[in-house]
Amino acid sequence: MIEDIIKISKEAGSIIRNGFGTNLNIEFKTNETNLVTQIDKASEKLIKEFISKNYPTHGILAEESGETKNSSDFVWVVDPLDGTTNFAHSLPIFSVSIGVQKSGKTVAGVVYDVMQDIVYCAEKGSGAFANDKKISVSKNDNIGHSLLVTGFPYDLAESNEKIFEKFEAFTRASRGMRRLGSAAIDFCYVAKGVFDGFWEVYLHPWDVCAGKFILEEAGGRVTGFDGEDIDIYSKKILATNGLIHNTMVDIMRKN
Ligand code: IPD
Ligand code: CA
Ligand code: CA
């Protein structure tokens, strides 16, 4: 199955790459900061057609078209273009994210970094890979030596999580905070030790499913802000190399 997920992620990535920098038809979703383009829709259509043809009994949860229930225990959780705002502004940081769950547990995940042509992938128990090279989290246990990343929800009013206070606290505690604009890539950058930690509120299951799994297979830890176990539907995500996790939980609690 992983080879199939990689294949369709790369095909969807070609559609996105061809659309990059072209005249886009931009529509607003919940508000004027929440965008969708014809390329998000074309990518999703391609991926869904592939699943329906090759895995006709599998369910699908996809960002732009919602849930398609089916008879099997398998569900594909699909973000056809993670980083649409970057894409719409010709900033080359975005991905295709596909996780597959069996009976509610993720068993495979692929994040395709389109412009760098890097496939991040993992299967249950396999470890995590970036273009066939095994990756693992950083060995840094000092928050002061850490590079962290976050993201912000489209609807800031929806959030009463004091995200800017947390942003400030983590900026002061670490070597720096970044905001890349593709949650799936944020997870993978923790998985390969570029970042030491990532946190965000109000992510969606399609932002989380593949990236969380890849990071866990790379030796990382993913919990809620209090260190509690979470699933892909959780609204508060703390994802780290494991070693700075408790320190980040402490900072979360204080801010
Ligand atoms: C968004 C990106 C971004 C995150 C937002 C997500 P989209 O996904 O992952 O990094 O901060 O919360 O919604 O809308 O580009 O698929
Ligand atoms: Ca997304
Ligand atoms: Ca998306």
Side-chain angles (χ1 to χ4, degrees):
M1 185 184 275
I2 195 78
E3 294 305 325
D4 275 347
I5 311 173
I6 292 170
K7 178 173 178 282
I8 195 59
S9 299
K10 292 187 90 167
E11 283 177 24
S14 296
I15 292 182
I16 297 169
R17 204 177 301 111
N18 290 336
F20 185 65
T22 64
N23 239 344
L24 295 171
N25 174 13
I26 298 173
E27 291 170 50
F28 303 138
K29 298 210 281 188
T30 49
N31 61 40
E32 288 192 12
T33 57
N34 190 355
L35 314 179
V36 63
T37 73
Q38 77 274 30
I39 303 296
D40 298 64
K41 293 177 188 173
S43 171
E44 181 156 316
K45 184 164 179 282
L46 181 89
I47 296 165
K48 285 183 74 173
E49 282 171 1
F50 177 87
I51 300 166
S52 305
K53 183 163 172 247
N54 296 284
Y55 299 90
T57 62
H58 288 194
I60 304 172
L61 175 61
E63 178 174 10
E64 308 306 339
S65 55
E67 194 173 7
T68 313
K69 289 206 160 117
N70 215 328
S71 57
S72 134
D73 293 338
F74 286 94
V75 177
W76 294 53
V77 184
V78 177
D79 191 333
L81 201 180
D82 185 52
T84 297
T85 306
N86 287 350
F87 176 72
H89 286 261
S90 297
L91 178 65
I93 304 172
F94 41 78
S95 58
V96 177
S97 169
I98 303 179
V100 177
Q101 293 206 313
K102 185 176 184 220
S103 306
K105 297 271 177 235
T106 310
V107 292
V110 171
V111 172
Y112 181 49
D113 179 330
V114 176
M115 300 309 274
Q116 296 205 76
D117 191 24
I118 300 176
V119 173
Y120 296 93
C121 69
E123 287 178 283
K124 190 79 208 150
S126 71
F129 297 83
N131 281 353
D132 299 331
K133 202 170 154 235
K134 198 150 190 174
I135 53 172
S136 55
V137 293
S138 69
K139 294 186 170 59
N140 168 35
D141 63 2
N142 182 341
I143 188 90
H145 297 174
S146 296
L147 189 61
L148 307 176
V149 68
T150 190
F152 303 110
Y154 292 123
D155 188 352
L156 285 171
E158 187 192 338
S159 165
N160 53 9
E161 283 306 322
K162 300 209 261 177
I163 48 182
F164 295 111
E165 286 84 341
K166 290 181 171 63
F167 188 90
E168 181 181 348
F170 284 120
T171 304
R172 290 185 189 282
S174 68
R175 213 171 245 174
M177 287 271 345
R178 299 289 182 267
R179 197 292 194 229
L180 294 189
S182 166
I185 290 181
D186 295 336
F187 276 111
C188 293
Y189 276 3
V190 182
K192 77 169 171 188
V194 173
F195 294 128
D196 305 286
F198 164 48
W199 62 276
E200 186 160 351
V201 294
Y202 296 110
L203 286 172
H204 298 281
W206 42 83
D207 302 314
V208 174
C209 188
K212 172 179 186 287
F213 181 71
I214 291 166
L215 173 53
E216 287 168 339
E217 283 291 325
R221 184 166 170 214
V222 184
T223 70
F225 287 0
D226 272 321
E228 74 280 18
D229 284 347
I230 52 159
D231 61 24
I232 62 169
Y233 297 89
S234 172
K235 292 295 166 207
K236 295 181 202 172
I237 307 275
L238 175 61
T240 74
N241 65 1
L243 300 172
I244 61 162
H245 207 90
N246 292 342
T247 308
M248 286 193 75
V249 169
D250 286 344
I251 293 172
M252 287 288 182
R253 286 188 178 139
K254 289 186 193 131
N255 291 278

